[in-house]
Amino acid sequence: MWTKALRTLGGSCLVLACLVAPSFAHHSFAAFNMDQTLSITGTVKDFEWTNPHCWIVLQVLGTDGTSSEWRFEGAPPIMLSRGGWTEDSLHAGDRITISYHPRRDGSHGGGFQSVTLPDGRSIGMGGPGPAPAGSAPPAAASPPGAAP
Amino acid sequence: MPKAAWVAAVTLGLVAQALAQLAPRPAPGNQFFQPPGEPPSHKLLSPVKGAGPLGGGAPVAPVTPPVDPRDFEGSYANVIGYNALSPAGTAGRWSAPPFNAQAEKIFWNRVEMENAGTPVPDAGIACKPMGLLRAMNAEFGWQMMQAPDRLTILINEDHLVRRIRIGGVHPRALKPGYMGDSVAHWDGNTLVIDSTGFNERTWLDFDGTPHSAQLRVTERLRRIEGGLLEILTTIDDPAMYRYPWTTRNLWRWAPITEAAPEIICEENDLELSDYTGKDLQVHH
Amino acid sequence: MSPVFAAVPDLSGTWEAIAPPSALRTNTGAAPPLLPAAQAIYETHRKALAAGDRDFDTTTRCLPPGVPRILYEPRPFEIVQRETYLVMLFEYQHLNREVFFADKHPPLVNGRRFLGDSIARWDGQTLVIDTTGMKDTTLLDGAGLPHSKSLHVIERYQLLPSGAGLEAQISIEDPATFTQSWQTRLRFRRVKAQFAEDVCTDQHPEWFSKLKQTEQ
């Protein structure tokens, strides 16, 4: 899920595991509908730059005029930072648009993929992902400490 | 070939093909396998000269792997990412380990529960160490520090540590743990690590390849060309597998130049609420 | 090894703090010189502790104790020393501090750390570890001594003569917490230890009591 390229091998593929980055996630992404990507605009209430996952808490105004809180889970800091995120990327009060995979249970939230900031810039996921089939070993798949 | 035999052979061939395509279940994980065979050798960089305290500034790590084939010290990035471990030699596709009936049931239950959106809790959901196999194949790799009598491995995730006693023996009374007890000996330029004393709370990989407390792991580490380290890992667990099986991975050497990332699982384990309805922690 | 490195002491080995106090004092035995606001926070922590409430202490939720508090844990730690870095491997929560010899701190790309960001240098025979970039949710000691994000800790390690052990002179500077920087001292002795596996959440099974086990 935290990757841009999707790689499938020889036909059938376990739906969720195919879409996830290898191994990192302590937990599965089973809570999200990975086949759907939605978009939502709101005001940042909180941005938690934490392990094992970063979280964006968004205050969203519904069409009926009521406000509700939505929670979006993202990659850990070590991966977000490769996409250009820092712990100061978002502040309370920022009006942003989040692109996300919605929660399967229909509750307010999901797994965020990218964010459009108030100034119009977009930040997405950083970090290594699976190489498309047939390509060279992914050079990006180097942890800190590896040669560039 | 007589006609009857020929017909039989063709029929068998067709049947075999049809059976192969039936594939009772989809393959469980995305393997990110490299093409079969080893990656091409890397051009070694020439060593950096001059930097160091005598020339001023902080000392600089060497950029070439150690000359001694028994010197494994360094930082390692994995070449193959595994969501589900596979016996070596499966050429880019997942194939099932030799599960016994119990292990097969456990494994596919874990895979199918994940797919259904109701995953079986793994070690990580309770912030437990993820176990030896999964840690060694973890996404961000690890660092190895070596002394004549021991090897220390810092996994670049969850501040996991492996302490391996070279020339040591397992204690008689071994309290089962998450990462096991490891001793090693040299076989030529191959370091052979024997690990035992595992509890039953971990999975061998993200998808849930299972093991029991009877697990015994043998890793054979050797340096190969191109600055690569090969580890052949044999999984011997008679409670789960019909016979021991071996998986293989490669790691790319680099000097140790950066601290392992600080990843503290307990910091904000909000996904726990997916399981329990109660946050473990919210702190930032 | 170059001649310069051959001349520095080797701090490698397994160490344990000698009689580590739970409440830090300066080298003259005085209480740390807290600013009034920080003093008030410290008082609430001390009161809570006296009432048996350790909720203010995030180590009770399995978070790392920060620096220098981690050195005060009565558990062994190992120092692995190299030319370009050294590592402290703690039995406590299997934490580690990997410290590189460098002239300045790198940018905090992945954010602040519970154990801060540390760099090292040699000052003659003294190892100097300089730490900034700590999260402010840790405490300086087990008695609840607070600190801010401005915390700057300098540890100076020397081997004591005749194998008597290791001594750390610890300087604590935090203009948002203390009226001035102050020093404290801690000694360590060599120990032979088999490191136990310390998994903090194993001590809190009640946190996971509702985890549904859906095996088999």
Side-chain angles (χ1 to χ4, degrees), chain C residues 29-44:
Chain C
L34 287 157
L35 286 166
Q39 177 75 41
I41 294 170
Y42 190 40
E43 285 306 313
T44 56

Side-chain angles (χ1 to χ4, degrees), chain B residues 243-267:
Chain B
Y243 48 84
W245 54 286
T246 300
T247 188
R248 177 180 187 258
N249 205 344
L250 298 170
W251 282 264
R252 198 163 286 130
W253 179 92
I256 295 175
T257 56
E258 263 186 354
E262 186 186 83
I263 297 171
I264 309 295
C265 174
E266 296 87 339
E267 181 181 14

Side-chain angles (χ1 to χ4, degrees), chain B:
Chain B
M1 186 194 288
K3 188 181 178 195
W6 178 85
V7 167
V10 167
T11 311
L12 271 174
L14 288 171
V15 167
Q17 249 187 335
L19 280 175
Q21 276 161 8
L22 261 183
R25 285 174 165 123
N30 191 0
Q31 293 309 295
F32 316 114
F33 272 81
Q34 300 306 308
E38 315 212 354
S41 291
H42 291 243
K43 229 173 132 170
L44 295 181
L45 302 170
S46 52
V48 172
K49 292 190 182 60
L54 290 175
V60 173
V63 292
T64 52
V67 169
D68 179 358
R70 284 186 170 197
D71 186 347
F72 295 149
E73 181 140 325
S75 173
Y76 290 90
N78 56 349
V79 166
I80 305 171
Y82 284 105
N83 272 357
L85 291 176
S86 204
T90 46
R93 280 175 171 271
W94 179 84
S95 71
F99 296 126
N100 63 15
Q102 182 197 12
E104 185 162 31
K105 192 160 163 248
I106 293 170
F107 175 71
W108 287 110
N109 181 57
R110 289 171 180 172
V111 162
E112 285 161 7
M113 295 293 274
E114 160 91 17
N115 255 359
T118 53
V120 177
D122 70 346
I125 195 70
C127 294
K128 312 292 186 187
M130 65 176 87
L132 191 161
L133 264 291
R134 196 166 154 191
M136 291 300 282
N137 289 305
E139 187 175 25
F140 303 122
W142 33 268
Q143 304 175 13
M144 187 143 40
M145 287 136 209
Q146 187 169 344
D149 63 341
R150 65 190 188 290
L151 209 59
T152 305
I153 300 181
L154 294 191
I155 308 289
N156 286 334
E157 194 175 324
D158 298 346
H159 54 104
L160 293 170
V161 182
R162 290 185 64 192
R163 291 190 154 82
I164 297 147
R165 304 186 299 285
I166 301 177
V169 293
H170 297 296
R172 205 162 294 151
L174 201 48
K175 181 170 174 259
Y178 293 86
M179 301 298 284
D181 181 80
S182 298
V183 295
H185 67 274
W186 288 101
D187 178 8
N189 292 332
T190 298
L191 186 68
V192 183
I193 306 176
D194 175 81
S195 304
T196 183
F198 296 99
N199 64 29
E200 300 201 316
R201 301 183 187 180
T202 65
W203 298 357
L204 294 181
D205 52 43
F206 179 81
D207 279 358
T209 304
H211 75 82
S212 76
Q214 288 186 43
L215 176 67
R216 197 169 191 114
V217 177
T218 306
E219 296 157 282
R220 298 183 63 90
L221 285 69
R222 72 181 176 117
R223 291 180 52 193
I224 59 180
E225 77 278 3
L228 294 170
L229 181 77
E230 174 198 66
I231 303 183
L232 291 169
T233 304
T234 301
I235 290 143
D236 182 0
D237 187 349
M240 292 276 174
Y241 299 96
R242 291 176 279 119
Y243 48 84
W245 54 286
T246 300
T247 188
R248 177 180 187 258
N249 205 344
L250 298 170
W251 282 264
R252 198 163 286 130
W253 179 92
I256 295 175
T257 56
E258 263 186 354
E262 186 186 83
I263 297 171
I264 309 295
C265 174
E266 296 87 339
E267 181 181 14
N268 204 359
D269 192 21
L270 291 178
E271 275 186 351
L272 191 58
S273 63
D274 288 347
Y275 298 85
T276 65
K278 176 185 155 59
D279 293 344
L280 173 61
Q281 176 76 299
V282 181
H283 267 280
H284 50 280

Side-chain angles (χ1 to χ4, degrees), chain A residues 4-24:
Chain A
K4 294 193 172 96
L6 170 63
R7 183 180 181 194
T8 59
L9 282 172
S12 33
C13 185
L14 185 68
V15 174
L16 279 174
C18 264
L19 298 171
V20 303
S23 307
F24 175 84

Side-chain angles (χ1 to χ4, degrees), chain C residues 6 15 71 89 116 147 168 192 204:
Chain C
W15 303 93
L71 298 167
L89 299 148
H147 70 83
K192 271 194 171 315
H204 298 278

Side-chain angles (χ1 to χ4, degrees), chain C residues 24-189:
Chain C
L24 290 182
R25 284 278 182 272
T26 72
N27 279 340
T28 59
L34 287 157
L35 286 166
Q39 177 75 41
I41 294 170
Y42 190 40
E43 285 306 313
T44 56
H45 292 167
R46 281 157 55 100
K47 283 203 182 79
L49 204 56
D53 174 11
R54 283 185 66 200
D55 221 51
F56 64 86
D57 183 351
T58 55
T59 64
T60 62
R61 288 193 285 288
C62 293
L63 294 184
V67 167
R69 188 179 171 193
I70 194 167
L71 298 167
Y72 287 75
E73 282 295 324
R75 314 271 292 251
F77 66 95
E78 183 186 358
I79 293 177
V80 174
Q81 184 176 320
R82 296 287 185 267
E83 287 187 6
T84 51
Y85 68 93
L86 63 103
V87 189
M88 291 180 174
L89 299 148
F90 300 93
E91 182 186 78
Y92 180 70
Q93 293 184 13
H94 58 92
L95 289 163
N96 66 76
R97 295 173 74 191
E98 199 170 357
V99 184
F100 287 82
F101 289 93
D103 299 322
K104 58 186 169 94
H105 290 277
L108 288 174
V109 170
N110 293 324
R112 289 174 171 271
R113 295 176 167 230
F114 288 94
L115 296 181
D117 178 79
S118 300
I119 53 174
R121 61 184 170 86
W122 287 103
D123 180 6
Q125 298 287 291
T126 302
L127 173 72
V128 182
I129 299 181
D130 186 293
T131 303
T132 56
M134 223 169 308
K135 286 186 189 266
D136 60 0
T137 50
T138 61
L139 298 163
L140 288 173
D141 66 21
L145 190 63
H147 70 83
S148 77
K149 286 181 173 147
S150 309
L151 179 66
H152 179 198
V153 180
I154 301 171
E155 300 147 75
R156 299 176 64 91
Y157 291 90
Q158 280 190 303
L159 280 174
L160 296 170
S162 314
L166 182 68
E167 181 176 86
Q169 290 280 0
I170 301 165
S171 155
I172 293 174
E173 178 188 275
D174 185 351
T177 305
F178 302 104
T179 58
Q180 59 185 67
S181 71
W182 53 283
Q183 279 76 42
T184 190
R185 181 191 310 127
L186 184 62
R187 287 191 172 186
F188 308 88
R189 68 173 146 241

